[in-house]
Amino acid sequence: MRHIIEDFKPAGGEHCITNALKQVFDYYHCPLSEAMLFGIGSGLAFTYINLANSPMVFGRTKPIEFEQKLAERLMIQINCHQPKNYEVSFTKTKKLLQQDHPVLIYADMPFMKYLGMNPSSHFGGHAVVLFGYDEEQEVFYVSDRDHSDFPIRTPKGPIASEYHLVSYQEMAQARSSKFRPFPANNKYLTFDMTTYEAPNSETLTEAIRETCESMLNPPAKLLGINGITKFSQEIVKWRTLDQKKLKTAGITNYFQISKDGGTGGGIFRKMYGEFLIEAAHILTDKEFTAIGNDFIKLAEKWDLLAGELWKLGKTGDPELLKPLSEQIAVLGTNERKLLERLECLVDLNLTHK
């Protein structure tokens, strides 16, 4: 038996979860841009974490928390299911596909062979959409963020496919993975869009206000602007890492910041700037456009940092660490000022309503 959802249109995009959501929203006739989805879900964040394989930065809010916040603000139902047994997840996924419901799933990236990832580069928060299956070939039809008109860079070279055929065995490994960070653990989402309400000024100001608050007043030193400061302080300590781990840290964090890693550019700062520019039309205040453009300029500076981290990944040269630390400190200062300016603007808009 073979079943493919005929009206589902695979599409490429900037970031895995926003692109996956955009495809699902489009399918249910509730179109929103990736940037708008990202901003409404208060996706912008910063985290510095030390993992066994490599220290790592992360530029957006946690998987599932983001999706739940998005659902609340758009008045829809996004339910996260996490069966303990993969066979249950497999059976329910096929049933949803038979009913012509695309299934947004989370997968551990190294197990998705078409991505060409290092086997130890585990990340179970990678979101893709399943839109069909073939029993005879034992494969799922998978839409990732690459597409024929949207090539993306992977460690083994660019990929640009309309969709991918992933074997049942490969998918079982990717979906049931318990590796950190963000273990996949069989998670998948279902949607009820019948109560959808398009974003309005109240929705947008609430979302922007939350982003400013979480970035400027984070609950821990590893988060928000504090996390950027921590990154600046910790990167000089990478000097104690052996060269192999130092190179791994460079490459890992290059992909965490660069658009090649699915951030949309500048560790999601470009996407957030695009959100503010789009939101300005609804908020009818050109200052949001100005701040959005400044976020895009900030993203360009983060991308310059990513380029230096790529160099670190290739050379393992510890002499790069001090200049990197200084660059990160400046980025943190500039980002704080930009967020404070945005926070004042939001408060001003709320006062006048």
Side-chain angles (χ1 to χ4, degrees), residues 258-272:
S258 167
K259 69 176 183 179
D260 290 340
T263 73
I267 196 167
F268 299 99
R269 275 58 187 161
K270 181 175 182 287
M271 192 180 292
Y272 196 70

Side-chain angles (χ1 to χ4, degrees), residues 273 277 288-298:
I277 292 168
F288 284 103
T289 300
I291 295 176
N293 283 321
D294 285 343
F295 261 102
I296 292 171
K297 291 174 185 174
L298 178 69

Side-chain angles (χ1 to χ4, degrees), residues 104-299:
L104 193 159
I105 66 159
Y106 298 89
D108 194 353
M109 296 177 79
F111 295 116
M112 307 290 271
K113 293 178 183 177
Y114 64 83
L115 290 172
M117 301 288 289
N118 183 305
S120 63
S121 300
H122 292 288
F123 179 76
H126 186 61
V128 298
V129 182
L130 306 185
F131 65 98
Y133 67 90
D134 187 320
E135 281 290 312
E136 287 188 14
Q137 293 188 62
E138 295 192 339
V139 295
F140 282 107
Y141 286 71
V142 178
S143 178
D144 206 320
R145 68 181 188 87
D146 65 309
H147 196 261
S148 58
D149 58 358
F150 203 98
I152 66 169
R153 182 177 181 180
T154 72
K156 291 188 177 180
I159 59 173
S161 299
E162 304 291 304
Y163 58 86
H164 300 273
L165 296 178
V166 178
S167 73
Y168 284 176
Q169 181 181 8
E170 196 177 323
M171 189 62 75
Q173 289 179 298
R175 294 187 66 183
S176 62
S177 171
K178 299 185 183 303
F179 286 102
R180 296 181 62 216
F182 313 118
N185 280 342
N186 300 316
K187 290 191 290 292
Y188 68 95
L189 302 183
T190 56
F191 299 80
D192 181 350
M193 312 288 275
T194 54
T195 53
Y196 171 79
E197 292 186 12
N200 55 36
S201 58
E202 184 179 343
T203 306
L204 297 176
T205 51
E206 179 187 339
I208 295 167
R209 190 72 182 76
E210 181 176 316
T211 293
C212 292
E213 176 64 24
S214 63
M215 284 294 296
L216 292 169
N217 302 295
K221 290 183 178 179
L222 301 179
L223 304 175
I225 294 298
N226 290 351
I228 300 175
T229 301
K230 184 74 172 175
F231 184 26
S232 173
Q233 295 167 344
E234 289 292 315
I235 197 168
V236 291
K237 300 177 185 177
W238 293 6
R239 187 178 290 272
T240 62
L241 303 177
D242 62 54
Q243 193 170 75
K244 182 181 178 182
K245 194 166 183 178
L246 186 57
K247 286 182 176 181
T248 299
I251 295 295
T252 297
N253 287 287
Y254 166 80
F255 280 107
Q256 290 299 107
I257 295 170
S258 167
K259 69 176 183 179
D260 290 340
T263 73
I267 196 167
F268 299 99
R269 275 58 187 161
K270 181 175 182 287
M271 192 180 292
Y272 196 70
E274 291 167 349
F275 158 68
L276 291 174
I277 292 168
E278 194 173 340
H281 297 292
I282 298 172
L283 295 168
T284 61
D285 190 330
K286 291 182 180 179
E287 184 60 21
F288 284 103
T289 300
I291 295 176
N293 283 321
D294 285 343
F295 261 102
I296 292 171
K297 291 174 185 174
L298 178 69

Side-chain angles (χ1 to χ4, degrees), residues 64-75:
I64 306 303
E65 287 183 12
F66 165 76
E67 292 86 325
Q68 290 172 342
K69 188 68 65 177
L70 180 70
E72 289 170 14
R73 294 195 172 125
L74 295 175
M75 306 300 289

